């Protein structure tokens, strides 16, 4: 979908399956299930309505071969909306591809579903680009009932977080219950950034995390980076977490940068603001 085109897939009560048929021209050997690109004044848009939506993986688990396979690739000035009862990305048996990828600016991704289960090489969403973009899974008044995401490349992998924002973009998840199973490395992790932006996770009942919450691992040493902040907001009725909170910039790779992170566990539960280089939870 390019240069102001629009498309709607209406399949109520049906299952819609995607392979990796689209070639990403500015990414070596990259394939995507959904490829979108617009220009200023010509937004490319797509809406998908289905009972079940399945994005099959090409690569096997625990392999880096799926690093150039994407569920979606939005190259700028694009709007993708997905409405389904159930969405699957990869599977427990074969989930070595990546999720959604943003490039450039002015991309939006809106996902509404009762259930989302993802098995990906590293990221469900990697919101890169020039800012002005947002990815939203559910909303505060229309939450995903069950959101579950697993990284398959390796628990100790250095790489992209399951939910990752960069360059001033915003990634948000609103769910009733959520399971985030990601890397235990110092960078990347379950929620993280390669630069700066905002990551919001709001779970009304139980949020289960197996993996780390991580700060910035990008090299932010330009003058334009001086006032940038990576802000992570995690709110849950109940938080069950195994992992570390690695706050601030990763000191080996970073020369400058700041991180503000807040974790709260219900109105009457404990809250914790993590600062510094590393703290455990």
């Amino acid at each position: 979908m390019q240069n102001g085109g629009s498309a709607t897939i209406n399949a109520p009560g049906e299952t819609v399956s995607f392979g990796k048929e689209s070639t990403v021209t500015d990414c070596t050997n990259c394939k995507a299930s959904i490829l979108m690109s617009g220009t200023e004044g010509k937004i490319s848009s797509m809406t998908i309505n289905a009972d079940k939506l399945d994005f099959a993986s090409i690569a096997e688990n625990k392999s880096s071969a799926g690093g150039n396979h994407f569920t979606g690739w939005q190259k700028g000035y694009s709007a993708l909306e997905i409405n389904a009862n159930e969405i699957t990305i990869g599977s427990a048996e074969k989930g070595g591809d990546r999720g959604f990828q943003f490039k450039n600016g002015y991309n939006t991704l809106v996902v509404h579903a009762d259930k989302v289960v993802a098995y990906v090489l590293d990221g469900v969403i990697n919101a890169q680009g020039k800012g002005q973009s947002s990815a939203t899974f559910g909303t505060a008044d229309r939450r995903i009932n069950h959101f579950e995401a697993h990284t398959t490349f390796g628990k100790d992998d250095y790489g992209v977080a399951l939910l990752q924002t960069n360059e001033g973009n915003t990634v948000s998840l609103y769910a009733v219950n959520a399971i985030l199973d990601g890397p235990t490395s110092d960078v990347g992790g379950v929620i993280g950034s390669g630069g700066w932006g905002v990551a919001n996770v709001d779970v009304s009942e139980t949020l289960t995390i197996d993996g780390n919450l991580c700060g910035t691992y990008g090299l932010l040493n330009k003058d334009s980076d001086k006032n940038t902040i990576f802000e992570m907001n995690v709110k849950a009725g109940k938080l069950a977490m195994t992992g570390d909170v690695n706050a601030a910039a990763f000191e080996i790779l970073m020369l400058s940068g700041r991180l503000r992170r807040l974790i709260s566990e219900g109105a009457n539960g404990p809250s914790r603001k993590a600062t510094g280089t590393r703290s455990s939870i």
Side-chain angles (χ1 to χ4, degrees):
M1 189 62 57
Q2 298 183 19
N3 298 329
S6 64
T8 300
I9 299 174
N10 271 319
E14 301 292 336
T15 298
V16 177
S17 299
F18 283 87
K20 300 290 190 305
E21 304 298 332
S22 298
T23 299
V24 182
T25 56
D26 50 355
C27 178
T28 303
N29 297 323
C30 289
K31 296 283 188 177
S33 298
I34 298 173
L35 175 62
M36 303 182 69
S37 176
T39 58
E40 186 174 1
K42 293 183 178 181
I43 301 292
S44 293
S45 63
M46 176 180 288
T47 301
I48 303 172
N49 303 309
D51 179 43
K52 294 183 179 180
L53 192 58
D54 177 56
F55 296 96
S57 175
I58 296 174
E60 301 288 342
N61 294 352
K62 299 187 181 302
S63 167
S64 61
N68 55 1
H69 303 153
F70 296 87
T71 302
W73 185 284
Q74 294 178 242
K75 298 172 63 176
Y77 293 96
S78 70
L80 174 60
E81 179 179 345
I82 298 174
N83 302 287
N85 287 325
E86 183 175 348
I87 300 171
T88 56
I89 302 173
S91 66
E93 295 75 25
K94 192 173 184 180
D97 292 355
R98 284 175 156 166
F100 296 92
Q101 177 76 49
F102 284 174
K103 293 290 186 180
N104 302 311
Y106 300 98
N107 296 298
T108 61
L109 169 66
V110 177
V111 177
H112 292 295
D114 180 67
K115 183 178 182 179
V116 176
V117 178
Y119 287 85
V120 290
L121 178 129
D122 46 22
V124 174
I125 172 66
N126 185 3
Q128 293 181 326
K130 299 179 180 179
Q132 307 96 23
S133 295
S134 64
T136 305
F137 296 84
T139 60
D141 58 355
R142 191 180 172 188
R143 294 174 182 270
I144 294 173
N145 188 52
H146 178 88
F147 184 94
E148 180 177 344
H150 305 265
T151 183
T152 63
F153 183 55
K155 292 291 287 183
D156 298 322
D157 172 44
Y158 157 75
V160 177
L162 277 172
L163 303 176
Q164 176 153 321
T165 183
N166 297 285
E167 290 85 51
N169 294 317
T170 300
V171 172
S172 300
L173 166 64
Y174 296 89
V176 177
N177 293 286
I179 298 171
L180 302 178
D181 172 24
T184 55
S185 53
D186 289 335
V187 291
V190 171
I191 308 170
S193 179
W196 55 283
V198 179
N200 300 309
V201 174
D202 188 324
V203 178
S204 59
E205 294 186 9
T206 301
L207 171 60
T208 302
I209 294 177
D210 186 353
N212 292 346
L213 304 182
C214 293
T216 295
Y217 65 77
L219 186 62
L220 303 180
N221 60 349
K222 299 178 182 178
D223 288 342
S224 59
D225 297 325
K226 288 181 178 179
N227 296 317
T228 61
I229 294 175
F230 168 39
E231 180 177 341
M232 183 190 298
N233 302 296
V234 181
K235 181 180 179 181
K238 179 182 178 181
L239 175 64
M241 178 174 172
T242 301
D244 293 335
V245 176
N246 300 327
F250 190 56
E251 58 187 6
I252 296 176
L253 298 180
M254 285 282 299
L255 298 181
S256 64
R258 291 165 300 284
L259 168 67
R260 182 168 72 250
R261 175 180 288 129
L262 176 65
I263 299 175
S264 60
E265 186 177 321
N268 300 316
S271 64
R272 174 173 182 166
K273 186 175 290 184
T275 59
T277 302
R278 184 184 180 96
S279 57
S280 297
I281 187 169

